[in-house]
Amino acid sequence: MSKWSLLAEFLALSMLSLMFLYFHEKRQPLSFRRRVFYWIFALSISSVVVNILCVYTISHYAVIPTWINQCLNVAYFILVVSACSAITLYTFDLILEHVYQKRCYKIAVIGLGILTGAYACLALTNPVSKLLFFFTPEGEYVRGPLNRLGYAIMAIEVLMVLGCYLRNRSAMPPKVVRVIHTLPPIAVILAGFQLLYPEILFNGVIFSVAAFTLYSNFQTCQIEEDYLTHLGNRKAFFSDLSGKMRSKQHFHVISVSLRQFGMFNEKYDHDFGDNLLFTIGKWFDSLSDGSRSYRYSGVCFAAVFPYSSEADSEKHFQEICQRFSMPWSCQNVSCNICASVCDLTWTGQSWTSNTIMQYLELMTEMSKTGADPFLRFSSDIAAAIERTRHLEDVLRSSIRDRRFTIVLQPLYHCARKTFCCAEALIRLNDYDGTPIPAGEFIPIAEKSGLIDEISWIVLEKVCSFLGENRDLPLESLSINLSMQQFQDPSLLSRIESCLQRFQIPKGKLKIEITERVISQDLGYAKAVMERLSQHGIGFYLDDFGTGYSNFSVVMQLPFECIKLDRSLLTQLIDSQNNVEIVRDIISLFHNSGFRVACEGIETASQSDIVTNLGADLIQGFYYARPMEPEAFSRFIQSHSGQHSS
Ligand code: C2E
Ligand code: MG
Ligand code: MG
């Protein structure tokens, strides 16, 4: 008759089986840790099943041959200790993940191996030694003198884990610390309970609690694993970087940002795009030298290597650059993927994981706009990044304190020989009063999203100027808008409410946008421009000829005026041939009903040339530099007498 209660074991068996099903369902690559987790399940479930069988066979010893009982009990003793060793191995792997010095790891693994092996030998020889258990001649089960040795071994393993943890706790991610703080005490309490109440079989509960703790913290893919590539996700990337920095483990991180990846989704389909990302992820996963790889956002990957030497870092960087210079094969399609590859090395600088991410992101931006898509961290880059960060800081504080000012640059009307309109340009000084060029801070404001507030400040200043200078003989004043404002659905209402507040007639305000703004989505751009034009707000196309030029696109849009960029004019006016090209451009625009303004005219001869070519308006230092609002008012008033048409 059975003197043991199996209820807890049955409950544990169902819990373990359920967890195993969830775990197994997620088809992921078999990392070492995942493999160990499989063993934890296999050994725990087997130990519980064998335990239940043992209870049955022991209680029916009269009818069951003793050798079956012997075998099952030997198997049970081995399985229990092995399951515990697998859990310990998994925990060691977690604790020592961020410790590059693998000596401790080796010692732990050898120690575990010896303990488990010795115990297994003892269990296998038990039918002779009878140290763990034995059977009476009648076949009844009796505990041997070392029956509790398994618990002692488990206790030793727990102590090993704690020792290892205490030695390396500075390198521990917070989640591992949490598990170490909870799991061993729970295991000790449960083991103590088992010792106190030997008739309630409890080992399965200990295993299922351990497996559940590890599973919920480390093995569910939602937590730190990217669902698509099974690499680490952004969270894992951050926590690993922080862990390594906390434990002073120097590392080399390489980030890869894929460019124009949406093209593959559009050309094929999203499944293809996913498969391509999976293929790339698999390649990252195969990188060696102790690296771990991540997909930290949609099309951004990273690999983190332990830092050993500059030569090794260079080797890893080149390996990744080379791979991304070659095509990828996915579903029998060969794909050439453009990628920005950047790296940096952490050797103890006072950075945080956020600083590293910012550096990588800024370097990625730089590599996108620069000539070389592969960018290694250098002191120049560090200085450029510092400058960007500083300017972001200045921008933020200037938005808060409204420190921006505007200057106004008149545009000369060639036919009327007077100044008819002007462009408002923003100005900003650094904390020490040094002017910061608009061409430097506007792109930073655009990237950091600060341009929005800045543009509304300019709009307000321009409207306020127009409101205060109603009598100024000025046809219109233009403001520059960036992509973000142009795409803002509230653009029209914001402009209208500002014009209303200062009671400005709508025709007085013009908006300058570049071709970059319209190149994104022509249909949308057209709709926005038409809507605003119907409300009397006209558009100028700024910087024509800076690279995005496309006549057919421009012709479709309701621009009032096309501003030819300074770079186009200075380049073209150098030779007679180029002059003819500018003439053709101007007449092409005229024939389509646009006015043409020439920007950046600095000399009398440039002015003569573009006037002869038929330019309607001229903007440039030759006629007038951008001026403070008061100086501008005086300038316009004093030149209004020149009107000759
Ligand atoms: P932009 O809109 O093409 O403005 C004309 C730029 O050319 C101005 O530079 C102006 O000072 C400069 N310029 C005018 N005449 C001459 C000349 O004869 N020679 C030379 N070398 N330059 C001349 P600025 O003020 O530094 O502005 C640079 C760019 O920054 C602007 O180019 C515009 O794209 C952007 N920007 C300026 N203010 C704003 C603003 O309020 N909002 C936005 N989104 N962008 C702005
Ligand atoms: Mg402009
Ligand atoms: Mg321009």
Side-chain angles (χ1 to χ4, degrees):
M1 199 204 68
S2 169
K3 50 185 187 266
W4 290 297
S5 162
L6 281 174
L7 186 66
E9 290 297 79
F10 276 115
L11 279 175
L13 186 61
S14 13
M15 259 184 77
L16 282 166
S17 311
L18 211 61
M19 261 187 288
F20 179 73
L21 282 179
Y22 284 133
F23 174 71
H24 185 66
E25 213 178 35
K26 305 199 171 74
R27 285 172 281 116
Q28 299 166 10
L30 264 187
S31 62
F32 173 73
R33 204 179 290 165
R34 216 175 142 73
R35 220 169 277 170
V36 175
F37 210 67
Y38 264 113
W39 277 107
I40 292 177
F41 274 127
L43 293 167
S44 307
I45 290 174
S46 317
S47 80
V48 177
V49 171
V50 173
N51 196 15
I52 293 168
L53 282 177
C54 284
V55 170
Y56 180 81
T57 54
I58 286 173
S59 45
H60 293 81
Y61 65 89
V63 287
I64 306 255
T66 308
W67 67 267
I68 293 183
N69 259 328
Q70 282 280 11
C71 290
L72 282 174
N73 279 280
V74 166
Y76 172 68
F77 274 72
I78 295 175
L79 284 169
V80 169
V81 170
S82 305
C84 185
S85 300
I87 293 171
T88 312
L89 180 64
Y90 186 97
T91 321
F92 275 132
D93 196 58
L94 278 178
I95 294 177
L96 299 172
E97 181 180 9
H98 297 291
V99 180
Y100 296 145
Q101 238 268 26
K102 293 296 175 206
R103 213 173 74 92
C104 189
Y105 192 81
K106 274 188 200 147
I107 294 174
V109 172
I110 293 171
L112 265 184
I114 292 175
L115 269 179
T116 319
Y119 188 79
C121 290
L122 185 70
L124 287 170
T125 53
N126 185 68
V128 181
S129 67
K130 300 185 174 20
L131 289 170
L132 297 173
F133 61 88
F134 59 91
F135 291 92
T136 60
E138 292 74 39
E140 202 173 353
Y141 176 87
V142 182
R143 289 194 169 113
L146 296 184
N147 187 271
R148 303 269 195 256
L149 186 66
Y151 288 107
I153 292 199
M154 290 186 208
I156 293 172
E157 290 183 356
V158 169
L159 288 176
M160 280 169 72
V161 165
L162 288 176
C164 181
Y165 162 71
L166 289 175
R167 235 186 95 106
N168 301 287
R169 62 171 179 262
S170 60
M172 227 58 58
K175 211 184 316 168
V176 177
V177 174
R178 206 169 53 228
V179 168
I180 298 295
H181 283 177
T182 49
L183 203 50
I186 292 177
V188 169
I189 291 169
L190 292 178
F193 190 83
Q194 173 73 103
L195 287 172
L196 278 177
Y197 300 98
E199 70 284 0
I200 303 175
L201 296 180
F202 223 67
N203 286 347
V205 174
I206 300 179
F207 291 141
S208 55
V209 167
F212 177 75
T213 312
L214 298 179
Y215 175 74
S216 57
N217 278 288
F218 307 105
Q219 286 299 153
T220 49
C221 78
Q222 289 94 334
I223 293 176
E224 292 209 330
E225 200 169 275
D226 171 42
Y227 70 96
L228 181 64
T229 58
H230 305 302
L231 299 175
N233 58 16
R234 189 178 182 88
K235 191 169 182 302
F237 185 40
F238 267 84
S239 82
D240 286 359
L241 290 182
S242 311
K244 286 183 194 336
M245 286 195 271
R246 242 192 341 267
S247 58
K248 313 230 174 327
Q249 312 286 332
H250 298 176
F251 58 83
H252 175 219
V253 53
I254 304 176
S255 88
V256 175
S257 165
L258 312 182
R259 294 199 217 160
Q260 291 149 11
F261 192 82
M263 192 177 83
F264 294 105
N265 289 331
E266 281 161 27
K267 191 167 173 195
Y268 303 98
D269 56 26
H270 278 81
D271 275 350
F272 181 88
D274 282 358
N275 278 333
L276 191 51
L277 288 172
F278 180 78
T279 310
I280 296 171
K282 237 169 111 177
W283 180 79
F284 268 103
D285 203 37
S286 70
L287 286 172
S288 50
D289 282 354
S291 71
R292 186 173 177 203
S293 298
Y294 311 82
R295 183 169 78 119
Y296 66 88
S297 78
V299 289
C300 297
F301 292 84
V304 179
F305 294 86
Y307 176 75
S308 45
S309 67
E310 191 38 44
D312 274 349
S313 301
E314 172 75 29
K315 190 185 89 188
H316 296 140
F317 188 75
Q318 290 309 334
E319 184 185 356
I320 292 184
C321 290
Q322 262 166 26
R323 183 63 194 89
F324 279 87
S325 310
M326 294 187 310
W328 295 81
S329 169
C330 177
Q331 296 177 2
N332 294 326
V333 178
S334 172
C335 311
N336 284 302
I337 300 176
C338 298
S340 295
V341 184
C342 308
D343 79 335
L344 58 80
T345 303
W346 183 78
T347 47
Q349 297 92 323
S350 55
W351 297 343
T352 62
S353 47
N354 270 323
T355 321
I356 291 184
M357 279 306 290
Q358 275 178 2
Y359 277 180
L360 290 175
E361 275 165 8
L362 286 168
M363 283 170 74
T364 302
E365 281 301 321
M366 287 165 82
S367 77
K368 278 181 186 165
T369 44
D372 192 354
F374 306 144
L375 204 61
R376 298 215 64 196
F377 195 71
S378 67
S379 54
D380 282 356
I381 286 176
I385 288 172
E386 273 318 309
R387 172 80 180 152
T388 307
R389 281 152 62 101
H390 171 71
L391 289 185
E392 270 182 23
D393 193 53
V394 176
L395 285 170
R396 267 179 239 282
S397 79
S398 306
I399 290 172
R400 211 174 39 240
D401 306 338
R402 303 225 140 207
R403 288 207 299 117
F404 295 96
T405 55
I406 54 161
V407 288
L408 303 162
Q409 188 177 24
L411 267 77
Y412 184 73
H413 194 294
C414 299
R416 293 188 208 153
K417 296 196 171 40
T418 189
F419 295 92
C420 62
C421 48
E423 174 176 11
L425 297 158
I426 193 164
R427 291 292 176 262
L428 174 66
N429 289 345
D430 207 334
Y431 295 129
D432 61 1
T434 328
I436 307 168
E440 187 182 11
F441 72 79
I442 291 287
I444 294 172
E446 286 177 343
K447 268 175 219 148
S448 55
L450 297 169
I451 190 69
D452 221 33
E453 301 204 44
I454 295 174
S455 300
W456 306 135
I457 292 175
V458 172
L459 175 69
E460 193 172 309
K461 282 188 184 292
V462 165
C463 290
S464 145
F465 173 82
L466 287 172
E468 285 163 15
N469 295 274
R470 279 175 213 291
D471 303 332
L472 217 55
L474 199 63
E475 262 179 32
S476 64
L477 197 52
S478 55
I479 57 166
N480 294 280
L481 284 192
S482 300
M483 183 105 71
Q484 285 96 324
Q485 294 73 56
F486 191 74
Q487 290 173 343
D488 184 344
S490 67
L491 176 65
L492 176 62
S493 61
R494 287 192 91 137
I495 292 179
E496 282 199 316
S497 81
C498 202
L499 290 173
Q500 248 169 28
R501 185 144 58 95
F502 293 98
Q503 297 183 347
I504 315 293
K506 282 176 183 163
K508 275 248 157 146
L509 184 77
K510 307 287 174 202
I511 291 176
E512 294 191 13
I513 53 169
T514 62
E515 282 166 279
R516 203 159 54 91
V517 175
I518 51 177
S519 65
Q520 289 279 309
D521 184 344
L522 181 63
Y524 178 79
K526 198 171 174 190
V528 173
M529 288 176 70
E530 278 169 356
R531 200 155 59 91
L532 269 80
S533 299
Q534 280 161 14
H535 285 80
I537 300 157
F539 282 88
Y540 288 5
L541 177 64
D542 204 356
D543 301 346
F544 181 85
T546 45
Y548 293 87
S549 311
N550 184 341
F551 278 103
S552 64
V553 169
V554 174
M555 300 295 177
Q556 294 175 43
L557 298 168
F559 284 113
E560 287 183 6
C561 177
I562 311 293
K563 294 178 83 174
L564 305 190
D565 192 66
R566 176 170 173 264
S567 58
L568 179 84
L569 295 168
T570 45
Q571 266 174 38
L572 297 184
I573 286 169
D574 287 347
S575 75
Q576 186 54 38
N577 193 20
N578 292 342
V579 168
E580 293 312 316
I581 295 174
V582 177
R583 190 193 305 281
D584 289 346
I585 293 176
I586 293 177
S587 74
L588 193 71
F589 282 131
H590 278 165
N591 294 340
S592 306
F594 300 114
R595 286 209 291 183
V596 175
C598 290
E599 290 189 291
I601 299 302
E602 291 181 345
T603 62
S605 72
Q606 287 176 347
S607 165
D608 287 346
I609 295 173
V610 295
T611 310
N612 288 334
L613 294 177
D616 304 286
L617 302 168
I618 298 180
Q619 178 176 2
F621 294 169
Y622 174 66
Y623 286 100
R625 286 186 174 258
M627 288 169 256
E628 303 283 327
E630 298 78 32
F632 173 79
S633 303
R634 285 196 300 274
F635 179 90
I636 293 290
Q637 258 148 6
S638 64
H639 286 80
S640 60
Q642 287 178 10
H643 205 287
S644 65
S645 63

